[in-house]
């Protein structure tokens, strides 16, 4: 094949742009889709244009992004839980609603207990999910439990919804003998094969192109399923985010990119993270269908994720969801966020736009299926269960030091066999200098 | 096969209108071979392995195509992708595979190495067998984080709940006579520091096919660096059928008793020629070992030979400092200290970037290795 032919091959990929508007749940969505069905396009002069059709103008004009064109935020109920447009209420059964609410309260309770445990020095680290409960539970509830989840690290609610037990959470945070990863990772790096939740890793955005690849693989082997990839607006600045969007779009991968725009990447506020209209505005640049939603409105999150899932699977394409929310807690237990944001700001979000309260108002006022008495009982029951699991996990031994060498490869290569023996011999001589009593035997 | 003249190789490419294989981010017109000089090595073909059925004459890129063809036909989950892979690849390693297996299995990706690696890892985690191509090893570094922090650690961090053992990343590497800084590197040492990866570098078409299939089927993420100068310069009678060669096993390619010389990839051929020179001109008997797998490497085979000869040379194209030869030399001095008759000698690229026109002075060619043989025997 000649070089000239190679260039022509590229020309064959020339695409045309068709813009269309689609209404979904009342929210207008602009979408630009690139199709590779036509070999090439021609302008008025008959020139072949590579990369899609373009029109020409004779006036020197630059495009200026305009704030008034900012993508609107889709919401179902207001901050008092009042439905804004009846057609948008998904009218979920009381059972499902209660399960969602229960999951949010359980997540919140677990955060309280574990945060305190870290402050008391009983675990090494923790990250709370305060303020983002609705984005976790609303999206998780809209998925098929077989859909594969690639999380960032602040999506414990998705696991709560899928049935990760309190013992499993606690065993991981305590890095005890029941942790499947043998305590190799810091707390909150959960994973579950049974629940199709890929184990969390600390590097930011690395999960994103992996989600694109996994979605591509799933499309071939398990049609009807998709991948959801969670990430923050800070992670969206990483190169991997760009790679993920572009690969999923060009390779038609059924992947839901769920951005939790919670306003902060540790201390860096969103306005120092990007110019332009947030993360959602990037969607059309990649030819991705996109929506911006109220991340503190669990029903808006549910509706958007459910519809996005349908689009991703039926049309074999990625969908970008930007959920606007607020990180009420500190970044992690290693952070004190009052060093960079006002207490009043946090308070405003805690009381004014609290995702749990908003949902509770909806349950009480719109659905009449909840009351304060049941609320108190639920809180007490959650606390009891969390403390029980917490105490049990704290008592369990730590894993055997020998497990340090497992799971590097599928089996132990000779160098690791040798190094493990060196460690065993060393511990034989210096045992009193190591916390061996806390661990299972070597 | 006789020594190939560089210009002949390049002319051969040009006739097939494939100079794109030599350049990625430079325009083709800016690349002109102005001076002829001989390749720095003589290729030593091996006889075909026994019991592997009928053979065909193949060069190294064709033997790789054959390996990927077998993987695609025998495993319906196999995916082959990378930049320019669909039309056959800039080095022609994937010719006709798209036509044979369809665009959903053999396809182009956007030009983004971190994306290729991340996408490949994700597909492998989701159960696909993946053979991903990085167009040049020199351009693998945007994917460093994905390979080192993700692929290598996937199994470890999840306790085996999730892993990407079905992942193989192929990438052309090494000296080519005119590649300069960014078309010549072999980054094996950078990746050797990341526990969890297997790194393999073949020296011949027979090895390339058997080792690539072994990597594809191995349950660990593998990096497969292909010495691109061998793509066309190396021809052997390669079994057309399915076979694998063992990973983690070094191969003694020439027996000897005075000096042990260790290398991998193209350098094995340089060392074989040096062994002949040492025999003919110095009467010295050299044992030559092809390490084959960089990690996990075959310490036993290396130390056995080092203990026997007491004089060792380790040689690779990559720079000296922090190169894998240091790891080998360090292990030999620990395991074979009382057997050694001379310090372990390293003959490697200098601690400079890879130079273009000055390449003949940079590489660990047969003359530098020959001098090392004299040094270790006269110590």
């Amino acid at each position: 094949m000649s070089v000239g032919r190679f260039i022509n091959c590229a020309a064959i990929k020339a695409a045309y742009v068709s813009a269309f508007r689609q209404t979904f749940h009342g929210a207008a969505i602009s979408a630009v889709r690139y199709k590779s069905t036509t070999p090439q396009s021609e302008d008025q002069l008959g020139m072949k244009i590579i990369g899609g059709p373009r029109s020409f103008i004779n006036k020197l004009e630059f495009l200026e992004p305009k704030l008034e064109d900012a993508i609107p935020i889709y919401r179902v109920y207001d901050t008092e839980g009042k439905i804004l447009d009846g057609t948008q209420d998904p009218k979920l059964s009381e059972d499902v609603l209660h399960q969602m609410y229960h999951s949010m309260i359980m997540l919140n309770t677990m955060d309280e207990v574990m945060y305190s445990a870290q402050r008391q020095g009983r675990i090494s680290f923790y990250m709370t999910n305060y303020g983002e409960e609705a984005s976790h539970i609303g999206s998780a509830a809209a998925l098929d439990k077989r859909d594969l989840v690639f999380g960032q690290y602040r999506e414990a609610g998705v696991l709560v919804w899928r049935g990760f037990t309190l013992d499993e959470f606690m065993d991981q945070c305590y890095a005890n003998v029941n942790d499947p990863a043998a305590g190799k990772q810091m707390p909150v790096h959960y994973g579950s094969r049974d629940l199709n939740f890929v184990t969390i890793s600390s590097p930011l955005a690395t999960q994103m192109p992996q989600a694109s690849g996994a979605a591509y693989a799933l499309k071939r082997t398990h049609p009807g399923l998709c991948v959801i990839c969670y990430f923050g607006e800070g992670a969206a600045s990483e190169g991997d985010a760009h790679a993920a969007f572009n690969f999923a779009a060009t390779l038609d991968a059924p992947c839901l990119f769920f951005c939790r725009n919670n306003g902060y990447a540790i201390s860096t506020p969103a306005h120092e993270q990007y110019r332009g209209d947030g993360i959602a505005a990037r969607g059309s640049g990649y030819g991705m269908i996109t929506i911006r939603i109220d991340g503190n409105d669990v029903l808006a999150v549910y509706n958007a994720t459910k519809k996005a899932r349908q689009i991703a699977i039926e049309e074999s394409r990625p969908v970008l969801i930007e959920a606007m929310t607020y990180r009420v807690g500190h970044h992690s237990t290693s952070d004190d966020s009052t060093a960079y944001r006002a207490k009043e700001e946090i308070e405003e979000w805690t009381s004014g736009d609290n995702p749990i309260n908003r949902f509770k108002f909806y349950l009480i006022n719109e659905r009449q299926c909840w009351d304060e008495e049941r609320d108190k009982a639920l809180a007490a029951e959650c606390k009891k269960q969390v403390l029980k699991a917490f105490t049990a996990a704290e008592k369990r031994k730590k894993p055997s030091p020998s497990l340090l060498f497992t799971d590097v490869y599928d089996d132990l290569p000779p160098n690791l066999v040798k190094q493990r023996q060196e460690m065993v011999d060393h511990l034989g001589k210096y045992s009193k200098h190591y916390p061996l009593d806390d661990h299972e035997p070597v | 096969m006789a020594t190939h003249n560089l210009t002949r190789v390049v002319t051969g490419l040009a006739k097939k209108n494939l100079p794109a294989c030599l350049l990625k981010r430079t325009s083709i017109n800016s690349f002109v071979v102005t001076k002829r000089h001989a390749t720095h090595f003589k290729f030593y073909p091996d006889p075909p392995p026994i019991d592997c059925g009928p053979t065909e004459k193949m060069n190294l890129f064709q033997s790789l195509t054959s390996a990927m063809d077998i993987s695609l036909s025998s495993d319906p989950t196999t995916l082959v992708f990378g930049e320019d892979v669909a039309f056959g690849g800039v080095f022609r390693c994937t010719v006709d595979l798209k036509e044979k297996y369809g665009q959903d299995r053999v396809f182009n990706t956007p030009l983004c190495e971190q994306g290729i690696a991340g996408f490949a890892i994700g597909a492998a985690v989701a159960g696909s067998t993946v053979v991903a191509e990085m167009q040049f090893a020199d351009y693998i570094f945007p994917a460093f984080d994905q390979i080192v922090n993700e692929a290598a650690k996937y199994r470890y961090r999840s306790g085996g709940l999730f892993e990407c053992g079905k992942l193989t990343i192929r990438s052309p590497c090494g000296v080519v006579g005119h590649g300069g800084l960014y078309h010549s590197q072999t980054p094996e040492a950078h990746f050797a520091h990341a526990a969890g990866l297997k790194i393999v570098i073949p020296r011949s078409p027979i090895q390339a096919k058997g080792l690539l299939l072994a990597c594809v089927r191995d349950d660990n993420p593998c990096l497969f660096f292909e010495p691109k100068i061998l793509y066309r310069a190396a021809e052997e009678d390669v079994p057309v059928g399915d076979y694998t060669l063992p990973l983690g096993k070094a191969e003694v390619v020439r027996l000897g008793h005075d000096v042990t010389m260790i290398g991998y990839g193209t350098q094995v051929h340089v060392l074989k020629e040096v062994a002949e020179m040492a025999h003919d001109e110095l009467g010295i008997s050299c044992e030559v070992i092809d390490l084959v797998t960089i990690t996990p490497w075959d310490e036993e085979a290396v130390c056995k030979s080092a203990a026997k000869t007491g004089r060792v040379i380790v040689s690779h194209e990559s720079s000296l400092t922090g190169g894998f030869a240091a790891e080998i030399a360090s292990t030999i001095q620990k395991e074979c200290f009382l057997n050694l008759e001379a310090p372990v000698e390293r003959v490697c690229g200098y601690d400079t970037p890879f130079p273009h026109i000055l390449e003949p002075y940079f590489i660990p060619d047969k003359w530098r290795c020959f001098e090392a043989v004299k040094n270790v025997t006269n110590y």
Side-chain angles (χ1 to χ4, degrees), chain B residues 248-271:
Chain B
K249 289 281 169 223
E251 189 183 338
V252 178
V253 294
R254 180 185 168 114
L255 281 166
H257 49 77
D258 294 328
V259 175
T260 299
M261 297 197 290
I262 302 157
Y264 39 84
T266 315
Q267 198 63 14
V268 173
H269 302 291
V270 174
L271 297 178

Side-chain angles (χ1 to χ4, degrees), chain A residues 249-357:
Chain A
T250 54
L251 295 166
D252 307 319
C255 186
L256 311 186
F257 290 109
F258 192 103
C259 178
R260 299 179 291 97
N261 190 336
N262 65 11
Y264 288 92
I266 303 188
S267 74
T268 305
H271 69 83
E272 290 177 23
Q273 202 66 244
Y274 50 75
R275 287 289 177 271
D277 185 21
I279 310 305
R282 297 175 198 175
S284 66
Y286 290 101
M288 255 193 302
I289 193 163
T290 302
I291 188 168
R292 174 174 286 152
I293 62 174
D294 179 348
N296 288 359
D297 171 348
V298 76
L299 297 184
V301 178
Y302 177 87
N303 282 349
T305 309
K306 198 168 177 66
K307 182 71 184 173
R309 183 179 187 277
Q310 186 193 338
I311 294 167
I313 290 168
E314 288 177 1
E315 300 181 27
S316 247
R317 58 190 303 208
V319 181
L320 174 61
I321 298 170
E322 184 182 19
M324 309 309 287
T325 178
Y326 186 79
R327 195 195 76 211
V328 169
H330 306 300
H331 163 69
S332 74
T333 47
S334 308
D335 174 43
D336 173 9
S337 64
T338 55
Y340 51 81
R341 60 182 182 179
K343 280 184 177 159
E344 296 74 32
E345 179 188 306
I346 304 170
E347 177 52 31
E348 197 179 311
W349 283 89
T350 311
S351 55
D353 189 3
N354 181 313
I356 295 180
N357 288 346

Side-chain angles (χ1 to χ4, degrees), chain B residues 255-260 283-287 305 308-311:
Chain B
L255 281 166
H257 49 77
D258 294 328
V259 175
T260 299
I284 292 170
S285 161
C286 293
E287 183 148 299
S305 178
K308 179 175 76 175
T309 63
R311 302 171 200 275

Side-chain angles (χ1 to χ4, degrees), chain B residues 121-185:
Chain B
I121 292 166
V125 167
S128 287
T129 297
V130 174
V131 186
E133 178 177 309
M134 299 285 166
Q135 202 165 71
F136 281 83
D138 309 72
Y139 302 127
I140 203 170
F141 297 108
F144 197 74
D145 186 40
Q146 282 287 348
I147 296 170
V148 169
N149 266 336
E150 295 292 316
K153 298 173 174 57
Y154 234 101
R155 188 193 308 271
Y156 194 73
R157 73 190 187 204
S158 69
L161 294 180
F162 296 93
E163 41 83 19
C164 57
K166 286 167 172 280
L167 168 68
T168 302
I169 293 176
R170 301 174 37 242
S171 192
C173 71
V175 50
V176 71
H178 45 259
L181 286 80
Y182 302 114
H183 298 82
S184 305
Q185 299 173 72

Side-chain angles (χ1 to χ4, degrees), chain B residues 10 44 82 91 162 227 233 286 317 364:
Chain B
V10 172
Y44 291 85
F91 285 107
F162 296 93
C286 293
E317 292 171 6

Side-chain angles (χ1 to χ4, degrees), chain A residues 393-404:
Chain A
E394 193 167 36
K395 283 184 188 148
R396 288 186 188 106
K397 288 245 180 198
K398 305 301 181 199
S400 164
S402 298
L403 296 177
L404 164 64

